[in-house]
Amino acid sequence: MKIAYISSYPPRECGIATFNNNLLKAIGFNKESISGDSFVVAMNDSDSLDEYEYPKEVKYIIRQENQKDYIRAADYINTSVADACILEHEYGIYGGEAGIYILPLIARLQKPLITILHTILKDPNYVQLTVLREIAKHSSRIIVMSHRAVGFLTSIYGIPFDKIQLIEHGVPDLEPKQENPVKNTLAFKGKKVLFTFGLISRNKGLETVIEALPQIVAKNPNVMYVVLGTTHPGVIRNSGEEYRDSLRRLARKLNVEDNITFINKFVSEEELFDYLTACQMYITPYLNEAQITSGTLSYAVGAGTAILSTPYWHAQELLADHRGRLFDFKDANGIATTVNELFEDESKLNQLRSNAYEYGMHLRWPTIGQVFVDVLEEAVSKYLSEKEISNKPIIDPDMMPAFTLAHIQRLTDDTGIVQHAKYGIPNLKEGYCLDDNSRALTLTILAYQQNKSKISLDLLPIYLSYIQYMQLEDGNFRNFLSFKREYLDEVGTEDSFGRTVWALGYLINNAPNNSYREFGKELFLKSIPHFGSLNHLRGIANTIIGLTHFIHAHPYDEHFKNLLDQLAEPLKMAYRTHRAEDWHWFEEKLTYDNAILPLALMSHYEISKDQESKDIAFESLEFLTQKTLAKGYLNPVGNDGWLFKDGEEMAIYDQQAIETMGMVMVYFKAYEITHDLTYIKQMYLSYQWFLGENSLQIPLYDYETKGCGDGLQSHGINRNQGAESTLAYWISHLIVLKALESEYEFIQSSDLLAAQKQDFN
């Protein structure tokens, strides 16, 4: 097997880089199973590709904050000789919020992926939780290094137990030297050495050991506390050596400055092993329990060192069964008492060393490497077997969240649906708008049709009442209303007008009772005088769709069909005007709510059978498809620049949920007209944008609040969950369920027809 390793890598000074280098060597030790052609994709913490002089096994470099590098890396791995990938995961070594940039890479991999988790948070924020869940979804196996980590993944992150494997942190395969050069250095010679190593930062709690030194020195004057390691790069960038300097000041204040030595350098593993076997005790005085894995602690156990530690998670497990001694967080007295006790009783000190050494034997890298080889072989075998083509349905309802109006209810009061939210909490300061209440009306009707939802039936009159409240005497509509129920505009936009006509038309054609139908029809008819004065294409398009629903309910009224033809003409004229050889669109640019334009002409065609409307609708939809679905997932036009007719690149971000809803709707309508299952596939692929099949490979749907993020941005998700985005999700969800029924019916009828033909022949 040939393995691609994705991680930081030496000479970058990083614990994960060192771990990855050790793992590569340990796995490669098995020459029978692992090829020497394995390689590393190295993570750079710099924009310069020349920042580090990487060894020859590094074949590709990703600059941490360069999104395109991640995509190119996926392509590189997919076209390489690699049979499998190993990802070292730590939030901080990947770009974007919570390292979100790694998701597009792993989602594109066409190789089995093994992920090793170095940090598993007990209280992750939304993005951290989501990122880890997505990584697990794309991984054949998740490797953790402690039992507690297994519990966290299953209980907090919802990752299946059978996907997780515990493999403890490897340690160097070294033995103590007879002539250890460290013992003759100034800090060690003739001293009783307490030792700490690793990148220095405030959470390491080194001040606790210094505070314990006066009591230790009183009984052991020749004690030396040696701190080996450079200050963490992030700390250096933000505050320089402030923490190290504060430790020196503390030592002077306590009159123990002669009993502490800082060795400010990053050492090789062989040197580190010399330090560990030269000291009397190794101390990790971390300040809180939230450390699921500690490489430094594992190394100390592997070296057979007597260890003292605070009871953080990994220490509790690794130092169990008398392999070390624990003291409370920030407990200087506890450190002093334990150190003095062990110095007084050499047998206790030696027993700790012996227990640690014995346990460390099975942690040595050659042994750990063989376990990883077994995992890799299993993953590759399983991946190849699952690669065989299976006849899966286009739409997989098991992958869809259960339908619920919980967040819609949260946003709705007795006036209407609140326009915006801060995270999942209604933002009452922003009030209400007509667009959202119209979409909410459509959603409740869809929900009632799908499952006879009583909740939707209770919500429907609220939204319908809001529309009635916002209608002017002349039939037009206002849009915005404050939380105090004060009008905020004299007249709304043509877009909001059209969306309201659409919702009313849909109600008239699908009302759950006659009372609602008659109420909606009264509002609809009152608005008709404004149809002829519409100028904006999207306002016209929305109105066309609403009018077609009305006509379906009143199929014999020729007046409305003539009105529909009149409304369709400006759309067709706009297309004729702007169409060019390589530009099949209605305007000089692709902007927002694009799918609504071909959807309107498809709706017109259904009523009128106008061939030009059909031709334009499907030609423009194909153009939109090429621009937004070409990468195998939906990539809506971003509102930060759009796509111009003569422009070079389409703006990618910010992407809005309303775009996706439009794509779901237009593909379903295209299917209804043609019965071509390609459109069902494209509809379902568009819908999956909400669930993580997007440019960042992260879901916008929030499984906790049942709402939807307000947009996909370059760094992650807009975590606010307003009405527009959540309505867009649930409307799309219900349309997909309708399509599922249609897909089944069409496939069944096609199978029946084929069978009849076979019988006939």
Side-chain angles (χ1 to χ4, degrees):
M1 287 186 296
K2 304 171 186 69
I3 313 300
Y5 297 83
I6 306 168
S7 174
S8 53
Y9 202 72
R12 179 175 171 182
E13 295 181 359
C14 165
I16 292 176
T18 303
F19 180 95
N20 193 47
N21 179 242
N22 283 328
L23 183 63
L24 180 146
K25 293 175 183 175
I27 291 176
F29 186 77
N30 189 324
K31 303 293 185 185
E32 295 180 2
S33 301
I34 304 299
S35 167
D37 293 330
S38 296
F39 62 90
V40 175
V41 174
M43 293 302 308
N44 250 29
D45 54 352
S46 164
D47 285 337
S48 172
L49 295 174
D50 300 321
E51 179 74 13
Y52 302 107
E53 293 186 18
Y54 287 114
K56 62 181 181 179
E57 61 265 27
V58 174
K59 303 298 184 186
Y60 204 90
I61 300 171
I62 297 175
R63 292 163 293 184
Q64 182 170 328
E65 298 300 333
N66 189 314
Q67 289 186 47
K68 291 183 179 179
D69 282 1
Y70 292 83
I71 307 302
R72 296 187 188 113
D75 293 338
Y76 179 85
I77 295 169
N78 288 335
T79 56
S80 75
V81 296
D83 298 299
C85 299
I86 290 179
L87 174 76
E88 308 287 355
H89 184 261
E90 161 67 47
Y91 291 107
I93 66 173
Y94 302 108
E97 184 181 358
I100 199 172
Y101 290 172
I102 194 61
L103 296 185
L105 188 163
I106 62 175
R108 286 168 174 78
L109 285 179
Q110 296 166 13
K111 318 277 185 178
L113 175 68
I114 307 297
T115 298
I116 304 169
L117 299 179
H118 290 264
T119 295
I120 304 168
L121 303 172
K122 185 179 181 181
D123 298 301
N125 63 32
Y126 175 82
V127 178
Q128 291 165 338
L129 179 75
T130 305
V131 166
L132 209 59
R133 281 175 172 169
E134 289 300 302
I135 289 172
K137 183 174 79 175
H138 292 288
S139 299
S140 299
R141 211 80 169 142
I142 294 291
I143 307 299
V144 297
M145 303 182 211
S146 68
H147 292 282
R148 191 180 294 263
V150 176
F152 282 2
L153 290 183
T154 54
S155 63
I156 299 170
Y157 295 83
I159 296 172
F161 179 80
D162 59 6
K163 202 169 199 177
I164 306 165
Q165 183 157 347
L166 171 62
I167 303 177
E168 291 191 81
H169 197 297
V171 301
D173 187 23
L174 297 170
E175 293 293 339
K177 294 176 181 175
Q178 288 186 345
E179 297 294 331
N180 188 337
V182 169
K183 290 184 177 181
N184 292 318
T185 61
L186 186 62
F188 280 72
K189 191 171 184 179
K191 300 290 196 300
K192 294 180 177 178
V193 177
L194 308 177
F195 181 57
T196 296
F197 78 94
L199 293 173
I200 295 176
S201 59
R202 286 192 177 275
N203 65 330
K204 296 301 174 68
L206 305 182
E207 62 275 12
T208 310
V209 184
I210 297 174
E211 289 166 356
L213 283 178
Q215 295 180 58
I216 298 171
V217 171
K219 291 189 175 184
N220 300 277
N222 61 338
V223 156
M224 180 65 71
Y225 181 37
V226 176
V227 179
L228 170 65
T230 58
T231 300
H232 193 286
V235 175
I236 288 286
R237 282 193 296 270
N238 295 322
S239 53
E241 293 287 4
E242 179 187 353
Y243 178 55
R244 191 189 295 266
D245 292 341
S246 72
L247 295 175
R248 288 194 175 100
R249 288 194 299 271
L250 176 61
R252 283 196 299 271
K253 178 182 176 182
L254 298 175
N255 296 315
V256 291
E257 66 267 33
D258 293 333
N259 300 91
I260 183 168
T261 298
F262 289 97
I263 303 175
N264 190 0
K265 67 177 183 177
F266 191 88
V267 298
S268 69
E269 279 193 346
E270 188 173 348
E271 288 179 279
L272 176 57
F273 196 81
D274 288 341
Y275 278 100
L276 284 167
T277 52
C279 72
Q280 274 66 48
M281 298 178 215
Y282 172 70
I283 305 179
T284 53
Y286 299 160
L287 294 180
N288 63 70
E289 66 177 0
Q291 177 127 351
I292 206 76
T293 303
S294 171
T296 60
L297 188 68
S298 297
Y299 280 21
V301 169
T305 308
I307 303 168
L308 280 64
S309 177
T310 49
Y312 56 90
W313 295 326
H314 194 204
Q316 290 179 39
E317 291 188 26
L318 196 54
L319 302 184
D321 299 325
H322 307 290
R323 292 188 290 270
R325 296 281 289 271
L326 300 178
F327 57 89
D328 288 338
F329 299 105
K330 300 182 181 181
D331 183 7
N333 289 329
I335 295 177
T337 300
T338 304
V339 168
N340 287 333
E341 175 194 341
L342 293 174
F343 278 147
E344 287 173 10
D345 191 338
E346 188 74 17
S347 63
K348 290 182 179 179
L349 195 60
N350 289 333
Q351 188 62 54
L352 288 179
R353 289 173 180 152
S354 175
N355 293 345
Y357 179 84
E358 184 179 348
Y359 189 81
M361 290 297 292
H362 88 277
L363 300 181
R364 297 199 176 191
W365 275 117
T367 303
I368 296 296
Q370 183 56 53
V371 179
F372 272 96
V373 171
D374 295 341
V375 171
L376 285 163
E377 288 178 340
E378 178 192 4
V380 171
S381 175
K382 185 178 179 183
Y383 180 82
L384 292 175
S385 64
E386 291 178 349
K387 203 173 180 181
E388 296 178 5
I389 299 174
S390 58
N391 294 320
K392 292 182 179 180
I394 298 170
I395 300 170
D396 185 357
D398 291 336
M399 296 296 291
M400 300 171 66
F403 178 74
T404 172
L405 291 170
H407 191 53
I408 299 299
Q409 288 178 280
R410 193 178 300 122
L411 293 173
T412 302
D413 59 19
D414 58 358
T415 297
I417 191 165
V418 174
Q419 188 175 184
H420 294 298
K422 292 292 289 182
Y423 298 96
I425 307 302
N427 184 359
L428 303 180
K429 294 178 180 179
E430 302 294 334
Y432 318 83
C433 74
L434 185 65
D435 300 77
D436 291 338
N437 280 274
S438 297
R439 291 190 191 98
L441 176 61
T442 302
L443 173 62
T444 56
I445 299 167
L446 279 166
Y448 187 73
Q449 289 175 322
Q450 180 66 36
N451 53 27
K452 295 297 183 284
S453 164
K454 182 181 183 302
I455 293 172
S456 65
L457 205 59
D458 291 340
L459 292 172
L460 190 156
I462 296 175
Y463 307 132
L464 187 56
S465 175
Y466 180 91
I467 293 171
Q468 188 268 342
Y469 187 67
M470 299 302 281
Q471 189 169 40
L472 297 161
E473 285 301 315
D474 65 0
N476 207 335
F477 297 92
R478 291 186 170 93
N479 191 5
F480 297 110
L481 188 73
S482 75
F483 185 64
K484 296 179 180 179
R485 297 185 180 179
E486 296 169 341
Y487 296 123
L488 298 177
D489 53 6
E490 293 300 319
V491 64
T493 64
E494 291 189 10
D495 282 9
S496 63
F497 177 89
R499 288 177 185 130
T500 305
V501 170
W502 180 349
L504 291 171
Y506 194 76
L507 171 68
I508 292 162
N509 194 36
N510 300 279
N513 61 52
N514 197 50
S515 174
Y516 292 155
R517 179 179 290 107
E518 290 180 0
F519 189 90
K521 185 175 180 179
E522 182 179 311
L523 302 179
F524 185 94
L525 294 175
K526 193 175 179 180
S527 71
I528 287 177
H530 295 277
F531 288 11
S533 60
L534 295 172
N535 295 304
H536 297 287
L537 295 185
R538 283 160 187 77
I540 294 170
N542 280 290
T543 302
I544 287 173
I545 297 167
L547 184 54
T548 59
H549 285 297
F550 182 88
I551 292 171
H552 282 302
H554 303 82
Y556 305 112
D557 195 324
E558 294 299 319
H559 167 70
F560 291 109
K561 293 180 182 179
N562 293 333
L563 183 57
L564 182 66
D565 290 337
Q566 293 170 24
L567 283 170
E569 187 56 37
L571 261 66
K572 294 190 287 185
M573 177 62 72
Y575 191 80
R576 297 184 206 114
T577 301
H578 294 100
R579 185 188 185 279
E581 183 177 349
D582 58 351
W583 186 260
H584 299 168
W585 198 244
F586 302 82
E587 301 166 302
E588 291 293 311
K589 58 184 177 180
L590 281 167
T591 57
Y592 70 99
D593 214 0
N594 295 301
I596 221 72
L597 302 179
L599 176 59
L601 289 183
M602 288 180 193
S603 300
H604 175 239
Y605 166 75
E606 280 192 306
I607 299 293
S608 67
K609 303 305 176 187
D610 183 280
Q611 189 62 39
E612 185 184 21
S613 283
K614 181 182 180 182
D615 292 344
I616 292 174
F618 281 89
E619 184 177 83
S620 60
L621 177 58
E622 177 58 27
F623 176 75
L624 189 58
T625 299
Q626 291 173 4
K627 297 298 181 185
T628 60
L629 271 181
K631 294 183 178 180
Y633 55 88
L634 183 65
N635 211 32
V637 180
N639 64 15
D640 188 19
W642 310 121
L643 174 63
F644 285 81
K645 186 175 184 179
D646 300 320
E648 294 183 1
E649 290 191 10
M650 183 178 85
I652 303 301
Y653 303 107
D654 295 356
Q655 298 176 15
Q656 305 296 311
I658 189 175
E659 297 298 318
T660 303
M661 179 183 75
M663 297 299 282
V664 169
M665 287 181 159
V666 74
Y667 285 129
F668 183 50
K669 179 59 69 178
Y671 166 76
E672 287 184 315
I673 292 172
T674 65
H675 290 292
D676 184 345
L677 284 172
T678 301
Y679 292 118
I680 293 288
K681 294 175 183 176
Q682 292 170 329
M683 177 212 68
Y684 187 57
L685 190 58
S686 298
Y687 162 78
Q688 288 177 297
W689 178 90
F690 290 106
L691 304 183
E693 292 296 323
N694 50 53
S695 58
L696 289 183
Q697 291 295 310
I698 192 163
L700 283 88
Y701 176 75
D702 187 334
Y703 288 83
E704 294 178 349
T705 66
K706 318 304 179 187
C708 177
D710 278 351
L712 192 67
Q713 301 169 327
S714 60
H715 63 276
I717 305 169
N718 182 336
R719 288 281 291 114
N720 295 328
Q721 298 172 9
E724 179 181 291
S725 55
T726 299
L727 290 164
Y729 171 73
W730 285 116
I731 288 172
S732 300
H733 179 101
L734 292 173
I735 289 172
V736 168
L737 292 181
K738 284 183 68 175
L740 181 64
E741 298 169 5
S742 300
E743 176 199 356
Y744 176 77
E745 291 168 4
F746 179 61
I747 291 173
Q748 290 295 100
S749 62
S750 298
D751 291 344
L752 179 61
L753 182 61
Q756 289 172 339
K757 287 181 178 179
Q758 185 68 33
D759 291 342
F760 179 78
N761 292 332

